[in-house]
């Protein structure tokens, strides 16, 4: 069975600083993908960034980057220059299966608080 | 235009009642999902449908019955509601074309069973 672990229930960061949210995963499938989603207090789920297991470079999307260490099975999200609006729950997720049987399983989430 | 819309946003009902949540997507995606988010924010997949066909059923009690009249709609009907069914239910869809396609979520339906 595949598994996603987010060990930080809550994190604090000062505005304008960078923060790393940890995610480790467990899979025996050589082909997999990792996603990060943001859930603000308003409740919607927002896709942030994707990393494929065969991708040669770490993914980046604006202020978001993924520190992907395949041998360690970790896919940490780095948010640079934190903003007050980054305060939210962040979920790491992994693709399981392919084609029509594709499903996404989620970690327990990390709540990020950005301090002014 | 809202990509994935679900109604109602809030649903308060008593134990034993039957209720439905509707979901529609206008993204042209072939696959739709229902996820349940519990009070601790944990998200768990319940069902997936591909072009009206049930693909994934994650050992959900048979009081929960999804129905997909067409590939743009996936509704969730819940019979004999129990206190433990209280949660936020998210509908989502994705494109089958590529493995990096993310889920597109609706805004959730907060179900409270009293």
């Amino acid at each position: 069975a595949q598994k996603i672990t987010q060990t930080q229930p809550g994190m604090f960061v000062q505005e304008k600083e960078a923060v790393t949210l940890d995610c480790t995963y467990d899979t025996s499938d050589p082909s997999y993908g990792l996603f990060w989603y943001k859930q603000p207090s308003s409740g919607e789920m927002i896709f942030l960034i994707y990393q494929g297991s065969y991708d040669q470079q770490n993914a980046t999307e604006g202020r978001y980057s993924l520190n992907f260490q395949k041998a360690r099975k970790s896919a940490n999200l780095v948010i640079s220059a934190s903003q007050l609006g980054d305060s939210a729950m962040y979920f790491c997720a992994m693709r399981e299966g392919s084609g029509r049987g594709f499903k996404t399983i989620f970690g327990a989430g990390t709540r990020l608080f950005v301090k002014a | 235009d809202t990509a994935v819309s679900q109604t109602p946003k809030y649903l308060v009902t008593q134990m034993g009642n039957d209720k439905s949540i509707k979901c529609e997507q206008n993204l042209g995606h072939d696959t739709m999902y229902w996820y349940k988010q519990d009070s601790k924010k944990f998200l768990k997949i319940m069902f997936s449908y591909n072009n009206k066909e049930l693909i994934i059923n994650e050992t959900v009690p048979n009081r929960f019955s999804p129905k997909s009249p067409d590939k743009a709609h996936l509704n969730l009907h819940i019979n004999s509601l129990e206190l433990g069914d209280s949660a936020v239910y998210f509908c989502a869809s994705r494109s089958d074309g590529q493995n990096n396609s993310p889920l597109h979520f609706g805004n959730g339906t907060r179900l409270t069973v009293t």
Side-chain angles (χ1 to χ4, degrees):
Chain A
Q2 297 182 334
K3 187 177 174 183
I4 298 283
T5 303
Q6 294 181 255
T7 56
Q8 305 153 314
M11 288 280 288
F12 286 86
V13 65
Q14 196 67 39
E15 194 180 9
K16 300 180 185 177
E17 292 185 350
V19 63
T20 298
L21 306 183
D22 294 342
C23 173
T24 58
Y25 58 91
D26 183 28
T27 180
S28 56
D29 190 341
S31 174
Y32 54 89
L34 298 150
F35 301 82
W36 278 90
Y37 290 85
K38 173 184 178 181
Q39 187 177 38
S41 58
S42 49
E44 71 269 29
M45 294 287 291
I46 303 165
F47 165 68
L48 296 177
I49 195 166
Y50 170 83
Q51 180 83 45
S53 59
Y54 294 124
D55 292 345
Q56 294 296 311
Q57 293 188 330
N58 287 346
T60 60
E61 287 287 348
R63 293 186 300 110
Y64 305 108
S65 60
L66 217 151
N67 183 0
F68 181 47
Q69 299 187 42
K70 196 170 180 177
R72 299 177 64 178
K73 294 189 174 179
S74 73
N76 299 338
L77 177 70
V78 180
I79 306 174
S80 62
S82 297
Q83 302 172 356
L84 295 177
D86 294 334
S87 293
M89 282 288 289
Y90 288 83
F91 293 95
C92 180
M94 182 164 62
R95 151 171 75 81
E96 182 176 29
S98 61
R100 298 194 316 159
F102 182 115
K103 66 180 178 181
T104 306
I105 57 171
F106 287 80
T110 295
R111 185 174 293 279
L112 178 65
F113 300 91
V114 180
K115 300 182 289 183
Chain B
D1 284 344
T2 304
V4 181
S5 59
Q6 50 183 113
T7 55
K9 187 172 175 63
Y10 299 99
L11 190 51
V12 181
T13 189
Q14 292 185 328
M15 284 173 54
N17 285 348
D18 304 337
K19 290 293 178 186
S20 292
I21 306 171
K22 295 186 176 181
C23 179
E24 175 181 3
Q25 55 97 3
N26 63 6
L27 297 167
H29 291 164
D30 288 314
T31 303
M32 296 183 71
Y33 303 82
W34 279 108
Y35 278 82
K36 178 181 180 181
Q37 185 173 43
D38 64 23
S39 58
K40 295 184 178 179
K41 300 293 188 182
F42 187 70
L43 272 157
K44 183 171 170 53
I45 188 169
M46 300 173 68
F47 301 102
S48 78
Y49 266 75
N50 180 275
N51 202 13
K52 301 191 296 179
E53 180 185 351
L54 177 65
I55 303 298
I56 294 171
N57 182 341
E58 287 285 310
T59 60
V60 178
N62 57 15
R63 297 183 296 104
F64 291 78
S65 52
K67 291 215 170 25
S68 182
D70 55 62
K71 76 173 194 176
H73 295 84
L74 179 61
N75 304 324
L76 183 65
H77 188 75
I78 315 170
N79 290 327
S80 303
L81 278 154
E82 301 177 357
L83 293 176
D85 297 332
S86 295
V88 179
Y89 292 84
F90 282 97
C91 177
S93 71
R94 71 174 290 274
S95 168
D96 290 343
Q98 295 182 334
N99 285 333
N100 64 352
S101 298
L103 292 169
H104 295 256
F105 285 88
N107 286 335
T109 295
R110 182 175 294 277
L111 171 65
T112 304
V113 182
T114 61

